[in-house]
Amino acid sequence: ISEYLGCHIFELAQIPVQETLLGTYHDGNKEKLVVACKDMTSVGVVLQDFASLKNQSVTSERNGYGTELSEILYTFDEQMAVEPEQLRRFFWDMFVVDALIGNWDRHNGNWGFLYNQATDEMRIAPVYDCGSSLYPQADEEIMKLVLENKGERRSRIYNRPVSAIRIGDKKINYYDYISSMENEDLNNALLRVVPRIKEDAISALVDSIPTLSDLQREFYKMMLIERKHIILDETYDKIARKKEELENECQSVRTNIRRRR
């Protein structure tokens, strides 16, 4: 469910993502719900993770799998496989959606590139591996507790889960980092991505999964919409207002210059 929902929320955000579908797996007399993920590779086109690219650009004790933000950003500018600005935009757009779905395991090994061996060309792969999102270990007892207890709910929005990306030795807290508005690339990603994600589309997506119980539906919809309001919308509104004020000031200056002329 986490993989399926997470991927389809990336789709709602208009970010390229792997195709997934839910199905039933039969093993003898046992039956369980599974997700099928379409193979995005083809003959001569292979998947390479970001860690392998980072390993060629950064020399550190943590090598390609180290999730220190400064090393990741350094790699964007040092690598020559993909246009750096395109890679930077993709990363921060992905970060915004990961913040919404509470993905705690977006490390350098589960996003990357499709490499065409015949043409020696590399392009950013669609997002994949969203299974560590939307509280995958929460059973119905935990879901019921979270729905009934505002403190439990807020703790799972403001404090956990955190990102796998680190600043220093500390994993990034999604709410704290986004609300600080200190990263201009992230601010721009919010302006791009947030308007694409509609609450009614989220609700419709959750309701479209026939295997969910009423409790699960309520849990996923409440957590996604509250995370959107608190982690994304509040900061988006501040950035948008700040941008509008700046544009108004610039327009006022241009008007005054024209009048003086």
Side-chain angles (χ1 to χ4, degrees):
I1 294 295
S2 293
E3 184 73 48
Y4 180 84
L5 267 178
C7 288
H8 279 76
I9 290 169
F10 269 100
E11 187 176 29
L12 292 180
Q14 300 171 32
I15 295 172
V17 63
Q18 68 178 356
E19 295 181 44
T20 59
L21 57 85
L22 290 173
T24 304
Y25 177 74
H26 298 272
D27 182 12
N29 295 325
K30 295 182 180 179
E31 180 180 292
K32 64 179 180 178
L33 183 70
V34 296
V35 62
C37 306
K38 185 177 180 180
D39 187 357
M40 63 181 75
T41 65
S42 58
V43 176
V45 178
V46 297
L47 184 67
Q48 292 189 355
D49 59 26
F50 177 73
S52 62
L53 185 67
K54 178 173 176 284
N55 216 21
Q56 300 171 29
S57 304
V58 176
T59 302
S60 75
E61 295 177 359
R62 293 170 179 163
N63 62 56
Y65 290 95
T67 54
E68 166 61 41
L69 179 60
S70 62
E71 292 183 357
I72 291 172
L73 300 181
Y74 175 82
T75 301
F76 293 167
D77 292 322
E78 289 298 304
Q79 59 80 37
M80 300 178 65
V82 178
E83 201 282 316
E85 183 57 28
Q86 180 190 7
L87 187 54
R88 189 177 295 106
R89 284 169 63 98
F90 178 86
F91 174 82
W92 288 116
D93 287 359
M94 181 170 62
F95 185 92
V96 169
V97 180
D98 278 338
L100 172 61
I101 63 179
N103 190 346
W104 46 266
D105 197 36
R106 181 71 66 196
H107 54 74
N108 299 334
N110 61 15
W111 71 282
F113 311 89
L114 291 172
Y115 174 62
N116 189 315
Q117 296 171 319
T119 63
D120 195 32
E121 293 175 329
M122 189 104 74
R123 64 182 176 89
I124 301 172
V127 174
Y128 60 95
D129 199 346
C130 299
S132 299
S133 58
L134 292 165
Y135 315 96
Q137 296 175 330
D139 57 20
E140 292 210 344
E141 184 178 345
I142 292 175
M143 291 182 180
K144 188 172 185 293
L145 172 65
V146 171
L147 288 171
E148 293 176 349
N149 188 310
K150 187 175 181 179
E152 289 284 344
R153 195 159 63 250
R154 291 303 175 95
S155 176
R156 286 170 172 80
I157 295 173
Y158 286 103
N159 302 323
R160 56 192 169 105
V162 294
S163 171
I165 308 300
R166 297 174 179 269
I167 295 178
D169 290 325
K170 187 176 181 180
K171 291 184 177 181
I172 291 175
N173 176 296
Y174 282 122
Y175 173 78
D176 290 344
Y177 193 61
I178 290 174
S179 63
S180 74
M181 298 189 296
E182 65 186 35
N183 186 313
E184 197 61 30
D185 289 327
L186 176 54
N187 293 345
N188 290 331
L190 285 169
L191 292 175
R192 286 191 298 271
V193 174
V194 172
R196 304 173 189 165
I197 307 171
K198 310 298 183 183
E199 291 177 24
D200 57 352
I202 290 175
S203 294
L205 171 61
V206 175
D207 286 336
S208 71
I209 303 176
T211 57
L212 295 181
S213 67
D214 289 343
L215 177 64
Q216 288 174 312
R217 290 183 203 282
E218 185 182 1
F219 174 80
Y220 287 126
K221 286 193 279 190
M222 177 173 283
M223 294 307 295
L224 281 166
I225 290 171
E226 287 204 15
R227 287 185 71 87
K228 182 177 182 296
H229 285 172
I230 294 170
I231 298 177
L232 302 185
D233 290 349
E234 290 180 4
T235 302
Y236 168 84
D237 290 342
K238 291 177 182 177
I239 296 169
R241 283 197 302 269
K242 187 176 179 181
K243 182 180 179 183
E244 184 180 4
E245 290 169 0
L246 182 60
E247 289 175 351
N248 289 339
E249 288 177 8
C250 290
Q251 181 60 41
S252 177
V253 170
R254 286 193 292 267
T255 300
N256 289 333
I257 290 173
R258 283 196 298 269
R259 284 174 180 171
R260 284 197 294 269
R261 286 177 178 171

